[in-house]
Amino acid sequence: MNREKPLVLGIESSCDETGVGIVRGDELLANTVSSSMEEHVRFGGVIPEIASRAHLDAMIPTLRQALDEAGVTLDEVDALAVTSGPGLAGALMVGVCAAKALALATGKPLFAINHLVAHIGVGLLDGGELPQNLGALLVSGGHTEILRVKSITDDVELLGSTIDDAAGEAYDKVARILGLGYPGGPAIDRLSREGNPKAIRFPRGLSQPKYMGSAEAPGPHRYDWSFSGLKTAVARCVEQYEAAGEAVPVADIAASFQEAVVDVITAKAMLACTEHGITNLLLGGGVAANSRLRALTEERCAAHGISLRVPPINLCTDNGAMVAALGAQVVMAGAGPSGLTFAPDSSMPVTSVHL
Amino acid sequence: MLILSIDTSAIASAALLTGEGQTLTAFATEDTRTHAEVLAPGIRALLDESGIRPDQLDALVVGVGPGPFTGLRSGIATARTLAFAWHKPLHGVMSLDAVAADAAPAARAAGHTEFLVATDARRREVYWARYGTDGSGWPVLLDGPHVGPAAELPPLPAYGRGAGIYQDQLDAVAGFGQLQPTAEALGRTAAARLSHGVPLLDTTPLYLRESDAKVPGPRKRAL
Ligand SMILES: [Zn+2]
């Protein structure tokens, strides 16, 4: 196997995007994504079975297109990589079966890759080597995490995460309450520009002292988030206006909700960074496209002397290139392949970068 | 002719067969929930054991269900990807046909001109179809596949795991209550049809059930 600058094909199917990416070392050759997002619009959220059906239909066309775009053949590929978790079980299964079949058909080594760590690995495709003292803030419709990255291939630690809804999920639910459609993130972000983010003070989940503790004696959720209470608070707020027969100030509510989400995400991320010696932060996940999250993360990173890196948005959302990018790193680090017998793991911990 | 056959509509199984439907080598699991783990290694072992190289294969066939969704997709995703990577034609076969192929000799011997095939659809339902045994050839699909409660099936002798589970509600034929669709029987069916020029299916999965997702109703307004 070429471990210098390996040609790696990566497959992603953990949520609603079917992605196939091809990299050579840290050079991006192709990043083809087919999304079933449109099919979830009428449900106001990702329906796992619909996503799984779409993955099955999209897999071969996406694979073919990625190979065409990269101008390479399966024979030339050095290694295969696939997201084996975390994610939706039925969705992961489609990508894992396709990847195993490719490995079986071609005899190429297959690496089972952690989706969350791949969100960090994608940073290598944009700006090369990752800095020391690295942290990663991942915010999407499926996850919200703050991670410490000592080694992208074998030492990643989860510092904090949401204990209920992902931030992107909270956006979708609140957008539904406000009648703004799906996906909620872009709609709320857009409307927020017309509203007053200080109009309503929505709760910042898990911020009370009993959860936070202190740096020396951390509470049980010092770096964790909770967004389900926030969603309830927005619903209450809308009901109060309706009960009073007043017009609902949708833009103010959207802006105030967004401020609450972004404030608590960045505040806790900064706390985790400063208390763990993290001086470089990578922002990833689909919600990295949110203008307020980017602005406040930039502002607070600057205030704390933390350098911030945000990959281009098509690399932040779920895709196969991130899986290939991390796969290439794992190959270059000399790790052995995962074989054909591993199972997808919907709750794969970040401590397993690969299987 | 050489055929690689795959079915994951209930258990996971694969087989290498000749164009005459002779099995060269085959494997089948008991388990209905570990398809993604066992299927690819199982197929690799078949190729290794038989010494058959992929470029010697003429076609792949895969069971397109009905069957529990996630398991069913494992086989179809695997078959589609193998066919793509090997540049081989891929055909679909309705998975209950495999049970019918295994049940037909017994049904014919018992003088049943019509019989049912039923497999476990979970949620207290079966996937089922009605077959005829006219003449000496292969069982002929008369009706189905369908999904529904066992109690609503026509009163005919029933073969397969679905009949075994609901033997109090079906005329389950003794000795066939554990019978599942296998890639071997599926491959025999496919080989017979291919050699007679009977067209096979494409690989669109036969889910028979919607995704269960509900479109949310309008939010209740506080009055
Ligand atoms: Zn993701």
Side-chain angles (χ1 to χ4, degrees):
Chain A
M1 190 187 345
N2 168 16
R3 290 195 188 262
E4 287 294 312
K5 263 187 145 257
L7 184 64
V8 179
L9 182 146
I11 296 179
E12 155 63 30
S13 73
S14 67
C15 191
D16 62 341
E17 332 269 4
T18 313
V20 178
I22 300 173
V23 305
R24 195 186 299 278
D26 58 11
E27 180 197 351
L28 177 63
L29 301 184
N31 184 20
T32 308
V33 177
S34 165
S35 176
S36 61
M37 202 247 279
E38 288 296 322
E39 295 175 58
H40 305 287
V41 167
R42 65 198 181 103
F43 302 103
V46 173
I47 305 297
E49 176 57 22
I50 291 177
S52 298
R53 291 182 182 192
H55 284 307
L56 180 64
D57 290 341
M59 191 55 73
I60 299 299
T62 308
L63 183 58
R64 182 176 283 130
Q65 196 187 327
L67 287 164
D68 285 353
E69 257 167 46
V72 300
T73 64
L74 276 177
D75 274 348
E76 294 170 317
V77 167
D78 291 305
L80 303 157
V82 65
T83 297
S84 55
L88 303 169
L92 288 167
M93 197 75 78
V94 177
V96 165
C97 285
K100 286 185 177 184
L102 275 187
L104 166 63
T106 60
K108 312 281 184 183
L110 171 62
F111 293 82
I113 295 292
N114 186 301
H115 175 86
L116 296 177
V117 184
H119 269 300
I120 310 168
V122 81
L124 287 150
L125 302 177
D126 170 58
E129 212 175 312
L130 295 171
Q132 296 285 303
N133 305 323
L134 179 66
L137 175 60
L138 306 179
V139 190
S140 79
H143 34 80
T144 310
E145 290 93 12
I146 178 83
L147 308 163
R148 174 160 65 172
V149 188
K150 285 192 179 149
S151 157
I152 186 79
T153 55
D154 63 13
D155 192 354
V156 180
E157 184 191 349
L158 182 72
L159 300 178
S161 67
T162 178
I163 60 162
D164 40 53
D165 294 348
E169 214 176 339
Y171 267 91
D172 290 337
K173 288 178 177 174
V174 164
R176 216 184 100 59
I177 293 168
L178 298 177
L180 300 176
Y182 175 86
I188 287 179
D189 196 14
R190 215 175 304 119
L191 189 63
S192 292
R193 284 173 211 150
E194 298 161 28
N196 174 7
K198 296 194 171 126
I200 301 139
R201 173 80 193 179
F202 286 122
R204 273 67 168 162
L206 302 181
S207 289
Q208 299 94 314
K210 63 174 172 177
Y211 298 123
M212 298 295 290
S214 63
E216 298 71 38
H221 294 297
R222 188 164 178 79
Y223 313 124
D224 292 334
W225 296 278
S226 164
F227 299 107
S228 66
L230 179 55
K231 171 198 67 195
T232 311
V234 171
R236 284 291 123 67
C237 174
V238 169
E239 282 163 15
Q240 277 168 14
Y241 281 102
E242 286 172 347
E246 291 173 36
V248 178
V250 178
D252 283 350
I253 294 175
S256 299
F257 160 77
Q258 170 148 298
E259 198 58 24
V261 172
V262 168
D263 177 37
V264 73
I265 287 178
T266 52
K268 289 206 172 202
M270 290 304 115
L271 204 59
C273 287
T274 52
E275 291 176 4
H276 288 85
I278 292 167
T279 53
N280 299 284
L281 186 66
L282 184 136
L283 177 63
V287 184
N290 184 282
S291 67
R292 185 60 189 146
L293 179 63
R294 288 175 90 113
L296 195 59
T297 309
E298 265 168 40
E299 193 184 308
R300 289 186 171 170
C301 277
H304 289 91
I306 297 167
S307 86
L308 176 66
R309 191 145 138 188
V310 191
I313 196 62
N314 67 323
L315 294 179
C316 282
T317 49
D318 291 350
N319 65 81
M322 68 192 218
V323 182
L326 180 55
Q329 293 301 312
V330 170
V331 170
M332 288 189 272
S338 311
L340 294 182
T341 55
F342 67 88
D345 178 359
S346 57
S347 54
M348 187 172 176
V350 294
T351 44
S352 29
V353 173
H354 59 95
L355 296 179
Chain B
M1 187 160 82
L2 276 174
I3 297 171
L4 171 62
S5 172
I6 296 169
D7 187 87
T8 57
S9 64
I11 58 171
S13 60
L16 283 164
L17 304 101
T18 67
E20 290 73 48
Q22 206 85 51
T23 300
L24 301 174
T25 170
F27 90 91
T29 62
E30 298 278 296
D31 198 341
T32 58
R33 292 180 191 267
T34 57
H35 299 349
E37 288 100 300
V38 300
L39 188 58
I43 296 170
R44 174 174 280 173
L46 293 187
L47 293 169
D48 290 349
E49 282 160 21
S50 64
I52 288 168
R53 296 188 318 274
D55 63 336
Q56 294 173 281
L57 293 174
D58 293 283
L60 283 78
V61 298
V62 65
V64 294
F69 307 153
T70 300
L72 178 61
R73 273 189 292 267
S74 312
I76 298 175
T78 301
R80 284 184 184 174
T81 311
L82 289 175
F84 168 78
W86 285 335
H87 308 286
K88 299 292 178 185
L90 169 65
H91 308 281
V93 175
M94 202 267 276
S95 296
L96 300 181
D97 287 0
V99 179
D102 280 335
R108 217 174 281 122
H112 303 315
T113 53
E114 286 192 14
F115 67 94
L116 302 180
V117 164
T119 58
D120 183 12
R122 299 178 187 165
R123 300 189 216 172
R124 310 214 46 80
E125 290 187 329
V126 293
Y127 296 117
W128 67 278
R130 184 164 60 93
Y131 290 86
T133 54
D134 299 351
S136 58
W138 288 82
V140 181
L141 177 66
L142 300 175
D143 182 21
H146 301 289
V147 64
E152 291 173 13
L153 270 53
L156 287 168
Y159 296 79
R161 178 87 186 107
I165 295 173
Y166 298 103
Q167 47 191 324
D168 50 333
Q169 294 167 56
L170 292 170
D171 178 10
V173 178
F176 288 86
Q178 295 295 327
L179 184 59
Q180 296 275 34
T182 64
E184 249 191 294
L186 193 91
R188 281 205 310 278
T189 304
R193 288 186 195 160
L194 285 171
S195 66
H196 288 88
V198 180
L200 299 179
L201 306 174
D202 67 16
T203 62
T204 307
L206 299 170
Y207 291 121
L208 305 193
R209 281 178 180 143
E210 290 305 316
S211 67
D212 259 4
K214 293 212 168 40
V215 176
R219 193 178 55 82
K220 272 197 299 194
R221 296 179 70 87
L223 288 171

